[in-house]
Amino acid sequence: LFGTARKAALRRAPSPMADDADLAVSDSAGYKAPDKVGLGDLVNKDAEDDSLRRYKEQLLGAAASGQVQSDSSDPRKVILVEVRIICPDRPGGDIVYGNLDTDKGLAYLKENPFVLKEGCRYKTKISFRVQHDIVSGLQYVYSVSRMGMTGLRQQEMLGSYGPQADPHACEIPRRTFDEAPSGMMMRGKYTAKALFTDDDKVEHIKFDYKFEIKKDW
């Protein structure tokens, strides 16, 4: 939520929040989306090429051999499973929101804010399942607002994922920790909107959450 650049963005003059406009996806400079290849086509393509076969096994896992069965009654390709706020210094451990593959779980996430102590180290771990087909260029876009004014908007490229029974997981930031802003002016309640989208601009998941920065946990 708040890296060095992120904290600086929140300290700048915010702009009026415009709902979905804050989640508009911008094209990455120099990035060109690859041609779309379906799961069945990729599995059967160049079957005699050992290097490609190994790559497909790494990308697709059990789906490369047809061992992953997707729920035909559930049309979703990307399913949010869990949002975990990893807080190494929090007395109660990580903050976890589970069962996010259900409307009830998403409603609980939206209506039950979490608390960050000012200046604390933390990162966000997102777990999700992919089913039916490959998702190419999955991106996580989110905006943070306070008192109706947007102060931060971020877009994170997560990568491409194939179907598998176990959830995929990504940490943001990947290698370091963010630091929550400090000071009386930064304490208070925040609202965030998030979106999972891909190279085809398909909006897989939209959800809201809230949090509060306090002097202590």
Side-chain angles (χ1 to χ4, degrees):
L1 300 179
F2 303 109
T4 302
R6 297 174 174 90
K7 289 188 290 184
L10 280 174
R11 290 192 177 98
R12 292 195 292 268
S15 59
M17 191 171 184
D19 295 325
D20 290 352
D22 289 319
L23 298 179
V25 179
S26 58
D27 294 328
S28 300
Y31 174 75
K32 182 181 183 297
D35 294 335
K36 184 174 178 60
V37 179
L39 176 61
D41 293 335
L42 182 58
V43 168
N44 296 320
K45 186 177 181 180
D46 299 322
E48 70 284 354
D49 188 326
D50 285 342
S51 62
L52 181 58
R53 177 181 54 78
R54 289 192 295 270
Y55 167 74
K56 289 189 290 187
E57 289 175 350
Q58 181 180 9
L59 173 64
L60 302 176
S65 56
Q67 297 177 26
V68 175
Q69 300 297 321
S70 299
D71 184 355
S72 59
S73 66
D74 185 351
R76 295 176 296 176
K77 289 176 64 177
V78 181
I79 302 171
L80 185 63
V81 176
E82 180 185 274
V83 171
R84 177 182 294 265
I85 312 300
I86 301 174
C87 305
D89 305 316
R90 183 174 180 265
D94 297 343
I95 303 163
V96 182
Y97 293 90
N99 300 317
L100 299 181
D101 53 341
T102 66
D103 291 339
K104 183 177 180 180
L106 289 174
Y108 183 86
L109 171 64
K110 180 178 181 179
E111 300 302 330
N112 291 269
F114 60 88
V115 172
L116 292 176
K117 178 183 177 181
E118 61 178 358
C120 75
R121 296 181 304 135
Y122 75 97
K123 66 170 63 181
T124 304
K125 182 177 181 179
I126 303 169
S127 299
F128 57 93
R129 289 200 313 273
V130 173
Q131 62 178 10
H132 301 307
D133 206 345
I134 299 167
V135 176
S136 178
L138 188 65
Q139 298 180 58
Y140 179 58
V141 186
Y142 61 94
S143 64
V144 178
S145 64
R146 186 180 182 191
M147 294 182 290
M149 306 292 281
T150 299
L152 168 67
R153 182 192 173 282
Q154 284 288 121
Q155 181 173 325
E156 304 278 354
M157 172 62 78
L158 303 181
S160 297
Y161 298 89
Q164 66 178 37
D166 296 327
H168 299 280
C170 287
E171 294 183 357
I172 301 172
R174 295 176 187 262
R175 298 179 179 84
T176 60
F177 281 88
D178 276 341
E179 180 183 321
S182 302
M184 184 175 64
M185 297 297 293
M186 302 305 294
R187 295 178 205 141
K189 298 178 180 180
Y190 294 80
T191 300
K193 294 178 176 291
L195 166 70
F196 278 91
T197 186
D198 63 17
D199 282 343
D200 296 323
K201 303 296 190 293
V202 175
E203 295 185 351
H204 293 286
I205 307 167
K206 276 185 178 179
F207 62 96
D208 301 332
Y209 61 94
K210 302 173 184 176
F211 61 96
E212 187 171 359
I213 295 177
K214 292 186 175 182
K215 195 169 184 178
D216 208 339
W217 297 107

